[in-house]
Amino acid sequence: WIRRGKLLGLACALPGILGLRVPLRAPANLNLRGGSVLMSSASDQAAPVEKFRKDYAPTPYAISEIELDFSLHDGETAESRATTVTSRLHVSRRPGADAGASLDLDGEDLELVSLAVDGVELTPGGGAYAVEGDVLSIDSSALPAGEAQFVLESVVRLAPAANLQLSGLYKSGGMFCTQCEAEGFRRITYYYDRPDVMATFSRVRLEAGKESYPVLLSNGNKLEHGDCGGGRHFAVWED
């Protein structure tokens, strides 16, 4: 899994290295958008939106560290959201940022299961947070005051086999793989998905069926690996 030029993980059905062949010439109706591949007709192609460095402003919150926990499953159907991703973001308000600023994170095609701040679960519908379109907005009243660091934990469900955009977490050739550039990480978990937001991936845990996916690969150093019962195994990496 590639994130900001880094390999985050791979659950592979083959122990060897796979070579992928891609066409040298793309079809005329092939759009590359946010790291995804979309087939569309000429009539529904939207004009590209230019983004300039001068238009960027610092996010009101900084993310210094992220921990990811992937529980990879094949659902009964391609549309089954059997895979879960748990992320723990180490977040703090930037000095001088508006104390009333909400924490707005990007997310696309995610089913939010739960959300917690420093271990305290936030209740849906209570005004603490809202999911509107592709944005998870957490109200400042649900976050610690001042610039103290806190941990935002989210659990989401995905359907990798139904993801045909080649962006985010998807299945290809019998393995789970990811493409996160340029805006594909939002299809894995909620995050500030923009190129100027960098964080240390301190812990990436991969869990999958041992027989179907004997190789669990991530960037950095492997900390531990082993069996976890039920024919499944895991590996933990840090980068």
Side-chain angles (χ1 to χ4, degrees), residues 149-181:
Q149 188 176 87
F150 58 92
V151 175
L152 176 68
E153 179 175 302
S154 66
V155 180
V156 299
R157 291 195 185 102
L158 311 173
N163 180 5
L164 305 180
Q165 295 195 24
L166 303 181
S167 174
L169 175 59
Y170 61 97
K171 293 207 67 178
S172 177
M175 65 181 179
F176 290 93
C177 46
T178 68
Q179 171 61 42
C180 298
E181 296 293 351

Side-chain angles (χ1 to χ4, degrees), residues 63-122:
I63 302 174
S64 60
E65 180 183 338
I66 179 171
E67 304 169 61
L68 294 172
D69 192 327
F70 292 85
S71 183
L72 303 169
H73 292 267
D74 290 310
E76 295 181 1
T77 66
E79 291 73 24
S80 299
R81 292 182 177 269
T83 289
T84 61
V85 177
T86 301
S87 75
R88 285 171 288 274
L89 307 180
H90 296 248
V91 188
S92 59
R93 185 181 288 112
R94 294 187 187 276
D98 182 3
S102 58
L103 175 56
D104 299 330
L105 302 176
D106 302 302
E108 184 179 330
D109 198 22
L110 305 176
E111 178 186 336
L112 182 61
V113 177
S114 64
L115 191 66
V117 174
D118 285 340
V120 178
E121 187 168 353
L122 303 184

Side-chain angles (χ1 to χ4, degrees), residues 73 207-211 227-233:
H73 292 267
E207 180 187 315
K210 189 172 184 179
E211 181 176 354
D227 295 332
C228 47
R232 296 176 64 80
H233 66 145

Side-chain angles (χ1 to χ4, degrees), residues 9-23:
L10 181 68
C12 181
L14 299 176
I17 298 175
L18 300 181
L20 301 181
R21 293 182 294 175
V22 297

